[in-house]
Amino acid sequence: MPALPRSTRESLGIALDHDSPLPDQIVTGIRALVARGELRPGEPVPASRKLAGHLGVSRGTVETAYAQLAVEGYLLTRERSATIVDPDLPAALLRRAQAPAPPTVPRRPPRRPRRRAATDAVIRQKRGLHTA
């Protein structure tokens, strides 16, 4: 099992108060570790419980990130066995991991509350026009 860096949260670039979801931050951080050569193809990644404990997040958050990385071809998961960086990681993925991440899409601003009083006044006015 690889030793976790002194500050795992910093090495993965995790910020609990960041706008992007935690699993996305973990995915981006692990891609960066692979790109920098700190995690090499064939090496195991920390167990989800251990990494979750170091980051101070739920295990499900880490498992979601690992599942995403497995779908993308970065990790190889096997039941009852360590999750490893895919030994056959294509060079294209390594290059993609080194490329800067696309800008994040800003979150949609919260909806404005309905102006019920104004809406009711318009409805009353329309009803008055229709009945007159």
Side-chain angles (χ1 to χ4, degrees):
M1 206 49 56
L4 290 169
R6 262 192 317 252
S7 177
T8 306
R9 187 174 287 161
E10 286 177 15
S11 68
L12 287 176
I14 304 298
L16 297 177
D17 60 349
H18 196 271
D19 285 340
S20 69
L22 288 171
D24 292 349
Q25 293 181 52
I26 294 170
V27 166
T28 302
I30 291 178
R31 279 191 208 130
L33 290 175
V34 170
R36 290 193 307 257
E38 293 178 39
L39 277 175
R40 293 182 182 85
E43 287 186 344
V45 295
S48 59
R49 284 187 180 145
K50 189 172 185 179
L51 183 58
H54 278 278
L55 296 176
V57 300
S58 75
R59 182 177 172 210
T61 299
V62 175
E63 288 176 343
T64 300
Y66 281 6
Q68 178 63 36
L69 288 163
V71 167
E72 292 177 6
Y74 282 93
L75 298 182
L76 185 61
T77 58
R78 288 174 273 166
E79 198 169 316
R80 296 183 179 261
S81 190
T83 299
I84 61 172
V85 178
D86 192 337
D88 300 322
L89 190 66
L93 284 181
L94 288 171
R95 283 192 300 276
R96 191 173 85 187
Q98 294 170 345
T104 58
V105 177
R107 289 189 177 188
R108 184 197 223 174
R111 295 178 119 185
R112 288 188 297 156
R114 276 186 67 200
R115 295 185 178 194
R116 188 174 183 100
T119 306
D120 290 345
V122 170
I123 291 171
R124 274 182 268 152
Q125 187 179 27
K126 285 182 179 180
R127 286 182 183 163
L129 291 174
H130 291 295
T131 56

